[in-house]
């Protein structure tokens, strides 16, 4: 028997090796069809009081608190368990106070072990790097899964989650890009079906608001030094499947989004709210080229101050090739076509723990170019409009009526858990878009151009980048 040293650092590494070994075995078994590696419950769907869905929440502060409120407003859930690595912190106390009878856990693995037979679905609102292990374990345990966007931090994590979800068609999966259940989703489909949106050749996607890391020093040469761990915080579980980092406040409370090791920057945060309908209804799939055409503030640790990324998609199903150009950064605006008009502040953008979105030179959204028309749109559920205004007036009587959404994004998930509806942003749809963003992040991180083969799902011009998939 191996004798473990009592040194605390070695204890941490043993714990992390066990964690990585468990999740690696689970993902391999789930995705490749070798059977359930984990001791999954695979329980039939259960109903709570009055037919409600029994749910467990993982990540209950900040964004987690917001989606818990959204689920509560449906009147369709019975809360069974709460899980957060920071259960003693101020930002988690409100939700704990709302559900005093719910069982409490710091480690999601213990929650599944000790209370997994008491709930039917999970809602996950944790940093990007932990989406994969928690979602995979939930699927292995026979649970319906709602997870915040992006689906996963890396290309292969998204691939494994899509495969695992497809193996379980009886389980509902939903990614938290709410626009998929709002007006833009139904408008885009109706306008495509009516031939209003056709022959799209280019899209400009822009997100030019201030980001947390814009004031940081890009001369950084090492990760932040370790600090005193907050009382009662389970830091090792917070780290999940990434290599060990000493705790620092610049990783916690949303700061994780700034770092390549944990988040996906502006692209992962906003991309799904801006490009989801474009990607799905144009059936874009995966790009063959990802080119970083502009970057300011590049470094090896956190995201640049600004970047412009060109994603090139091939022709498909009679539709022409499409170039999507992503712009982020305060002064990195896309070309604005004549007759664009005013960039209004999008009312569909929800508040965050940073407060409401400030007015900007150009608010988050997109410009869609076709052979005959130009459209502008915002983010989330914002509808498109034809520009210039004179052209919009000319087309007014040709625009079809847009159907109303039968359910909001949270209701849609719960109704899917009950077998009434199908989710509109399941893993197999959103996962491909998540992979597109992961390729964009790799181009940012490596400050380079990537050529990608969508058939083999390999990067063909950069072995180092290919190993990062």
């Amino acid at each position: 028997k191996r004798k473990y040293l009592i040194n605390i650092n070695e204890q941490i590494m043993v714990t992390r090796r066990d964690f990585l070994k468990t999740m690696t075995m689970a993902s391999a078994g789930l995705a490749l069809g070798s059977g359930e590696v984990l001791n999954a419950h695979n329980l039939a769907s259960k109903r709570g009081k009055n037919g409600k869905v029994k749910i467990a929440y993982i990540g209950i502060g900040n964004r987690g608190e917001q989606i818990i409120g959204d689920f509560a407003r449906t009147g369709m859930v019975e809360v069974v368990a709460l899980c957060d690595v920071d259960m003693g912190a101020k930002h988690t106390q409100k939700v704990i106070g709302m559900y005093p009878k719910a069982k409490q856990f710091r480690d999601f693995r213990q929650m599944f072990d000790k209370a997994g037979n008491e709930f039917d679905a999970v809602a996950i609102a944790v940093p990007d790097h932990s989406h994969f292990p928690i979602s995979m374990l939930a699927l292995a345990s026979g649970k319906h899964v709602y997870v915040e966007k992006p689906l996963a931090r890396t290309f292969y994590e998204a691939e494994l989650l899509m495969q695992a979800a497809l193996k379980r068609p009886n389980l509902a999966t939903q990614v938290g890009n709410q626009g998929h259940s709002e007006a833009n989703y139904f408008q885009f489909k109706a306008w495509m079906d009516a031939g209003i949106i056709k022959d799209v050749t280019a899209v400009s996607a822009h997100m030019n608001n201030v980001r947390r890391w814009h004031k940081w020093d890009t001369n950084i040469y090492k990760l932040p030094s370790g600090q005193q761990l907050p009382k009662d915080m389970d830091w090792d579980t917070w780290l999940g499947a990434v290599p060990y980092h000493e705790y620092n406040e610049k990783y916690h409370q949303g700061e994780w989004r700034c770092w390549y090791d944990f988040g996906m920057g502006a692209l992962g945060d906003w991309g799904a709210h801006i490009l989801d309908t474009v990607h799905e209804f144009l059936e874009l799939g995966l790009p063959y080229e990802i080119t970083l055409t502009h970057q300011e503030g590049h470094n090896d640790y956190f995201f640049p101050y600004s970047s412009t990324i060109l994603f090139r998609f091939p022709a498909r199903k009679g539709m022409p090739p499409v170039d999507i150009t992503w712009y982020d950064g305060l002064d990195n605006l896309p070309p604005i076509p004549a007759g664009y008009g005013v960039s209004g502040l999008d009312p569909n953008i929800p508040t965050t723990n940073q407060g409401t979105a400030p007015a900007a030179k150009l608010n988050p959204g997109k410009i869609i170019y076709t052979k005959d028309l130009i459209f502008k749109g915002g983010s989330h559920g914002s509808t498109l409009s034809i520009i210039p205004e004179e052209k919009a007036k000319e087309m007014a009587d040709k625009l079809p009526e847009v159907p109303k959404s039968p359910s909001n994004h949270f209701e849609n998930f719960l109704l899917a858990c009950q077998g009434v509806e199908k989710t509109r942003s399941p893993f197999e749809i959103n996962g491909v878009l998540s992979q597109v963003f992961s390729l964009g992040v790799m181009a940012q991180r490596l400050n380079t151009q990537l050529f990608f083969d969508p058939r083999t799902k390999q990067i063909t011009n950069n072995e180092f980048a290919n190993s990062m998939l």
Side-chain angles (χ1 to χ4, degrees):
K1 294 182 180 180
R2 179 178 177 179
K3 295 182 180 179
Y4 294 111
L5 297 176
I6 302 178
N7 181 284
I8 186 63
N9 288 327
E10 292 209 10
Q11 290 181 4
I12 289 172
M13 292 308 296
V14 169
T15 301
R16 296 192 55 67
R17 282 197 297 270
D18 291 343
F19 183 98
L20 292 168
K21 181 180 178 181
T22 299
M23 295 317 302
T24 300
M25 291 174 62
S27 60
L30 288 168
L32 302 179
S34 60
E36 301 292 2
V37 178
L38 298 177
N39 184 21
H41 296 287
N42 290 324
L43 299 174
S45 181
K46 302 176 295 299
R47 299 288 176 87
K49 297 175 182 177
N50 301 317
K52 296 181 178 181
V53 175
K54 289 188 174 183
I55 196 166
Y57 294 124
I58 306 172
I60 66 170
N62 299 324
R63 179 60 185 151
E65 178 189 329
Q66 291 178 325
I67 71 168
I68 289 169
D70 287 321
F71 275 114
R73 282 185 283 276
T74 68
M76 298 172 61
V77 294
E78 179 184 338
V79 181
V80 172
L82 303 173
C83 181
D84 199 290
V85 298
D86 220 359
M87 291 292 274
K90 183 179 179 180
H91 70 283
T92 61
Q93 292 304 300
K94 181 179 177 180
V95 170
I96 292 173
M98 290 167 57
Y99 303 105
K101 294 182 180 179
K103 293 186 177 180
Q104 298 180 18
F105 300 91
R106 295 182 188 277
D107 189 324
F108 67 93
R109 294 163 293 180
Q110 292 182 6
M111 185 187 78
F112 281 99
D113 286 342
K114 296 180 179 179
N117 62 347
E118 299 178 34
F119 57 87
D120 212 26
V122 296
I124 302 166
V126 298
D128 296 351
H129 71 279
S130 289
H131 289 186
F132 170 76
I134 301 175
S135 297
M136 188 64 84
L137 180 57
L139 290 173
S141 302
K143 308 302 179 187
H144 307 291
V145 184
Y146 184 104
V147 63
E148 271 298 297
K149 48 77 206 155
L151 173 60
R153 190 179 65 89
T154 71
F155 187 96
Y156 194 51
E157 285 177 344
E159 185 73 17
L160 290 173
L161 283 172
M162 286 189 287
Q163 292 180 23
L166 287 170
K167 283 181 60 182
R168 295 161 179 79
N170 61 313
L171 295 181
T173 61
Q174 182 92 303
V175 180
N177 50 326
Q178 309 95 306
H180 246 60
S181 293
E182 297 173 6
N184 175 245
Y185 178 87
F186 297 94
Q187 180 206 35
F188 203 107
K189 185 177 187 306
W191 282 19
M192 273 200 70
D193 290 344
I196 305 299
I197 299 176
K198 65 178 180 178
D199 295 329
V200 175
T201 59
V203 180
S204 294
H206 45 87
M207 211 309 286
N208 306 107
N209 290 355
V210 65
R211 299 282 83 193
R212 296 169 184 264
W213 59 89
H214 281 170
K215 295 182 180 179
W216 291 4
D217 184 1
T218 56
N219 292 317
I220 184 172
Y221 63 92
K222 68 181 182 67
L223 290 169
S225 300
Q227 295 178 335
Q228 178 65 42
L229 195 64
K231 182 181 179 182
D232 298 328
M233 184 182 183
D234 184 350
W235 178 241
D236 197 57
T237 299
W238 187 94
L239 285 169
V242 301
Y244 187 77
H245 293 59
E246 292 184 315
Y247 170 82
N248 188 284
E249 64 183 1
K250 285 297 182 184
Y251 300 143
H252 196 27
Q253 295 278 23
E255 300 292 309
W256 50 266
R257 195 179 298 284
C258 310
W259 304 92
Y260 288 117
D261 285 352
F262 302 120
M264 289 184 70
L267 189 57
D269 189 15
W270 281 85
H273 292 313
I274 296 171
L275 288 169
D276 57 349
T277 49
V278 168
H279 184 265
E280 178 178 352
F281 292 125
L282 296 182
E283 301 183 56
L284 292 176
L286 294 167
Y288 64 87
E289 178 186 326
I290 308 95
T291 300
L292 189 71
T293 62
H294 163 79
Q295 185 160 220
E296 181 184 349
H298 176 264
N299 65 89
D300 291 332
Y301 299 94
F302 62 84
F303 286 87
Y305 293 155
S306 64
S307 61
T308 306
I309 311 170
L310 171 65
F311 298 90
R312 309 200 76 179
F313 297 86
R316 68 257 152 253
K317 296 185 179 181
M319 292 182 281
V322 177
D323 287 352
I324 292 182
T325 308
W326 169 267
Y327 299 83
D328 66 53
L330 292 176
D331 296 313
N332 185 33
L333 306 181
I336 304 300
Y340 180 87
V342 177
S343 175
L345 189 60
D346 190 337
N348 294 284
I349 300 175
T351 59
T352 68
N353 59 328
Q354 297 184 80
T356 56
K361 293 179 181 177
L362 186 68
N363 289 297
K366 51 192 168 283
I367 305 167
I368 302 172
Y369 297 87
T370 76
K371 291 180 179 178
D372 300 316
L373 296 172
I374 302 175
F375 305 85
K376 74 171 181 178
S379 67
H380 295 70
S382 301
T383 53
L384 299 172
S385 58
I386 297 170
I387 55 174
E389 187 177 355
E390 294 76 20
K391 190 65 177 179
K393 291 178 179 178
E394 177 188 326
M395 296 286 296
D397 60 350
K398 299 177 181 151
L399 303 178
E401 183 177 350
V402 177
K404 293 184 178 180
S405 177
S407 55
N408 70 33
H409 210 53
F410 305 92
E411 292 167 343
N412 178 229
F413 172 68
L414 297 172
L415 289 168
C417 294
Q418 297 175 340
V420 178
E421 291 185 359
K422 291 184 178 180
T423 52
R424 287 184 280 273
S425 188
F427 286 8
E428 58 266 29
I429 288 179
N430 182 272
V432 183
L433 184 59
S434 181
Q435 290 180 319
V436 173
F437 297 151
S438 72
L439 292 170
V441 167
M442 289 171 63
Q444 287 177 310
R445 188 169 191 170
L446 299 177
N447 198 18
T448 192
Q449 179 184 53
L450 302 174
F451 295 125
F452 184 79
D453 186 339
R455 296 166 299 177
T456 62
K457 299 181 181 179
Q458 298 289 300
I459 293 170
T460 60
N461 69 323
N462 190 316
E463 290 186 11
F464 183 80
N466 197 56
S467 70
M468 294 173 64
L469 286 173

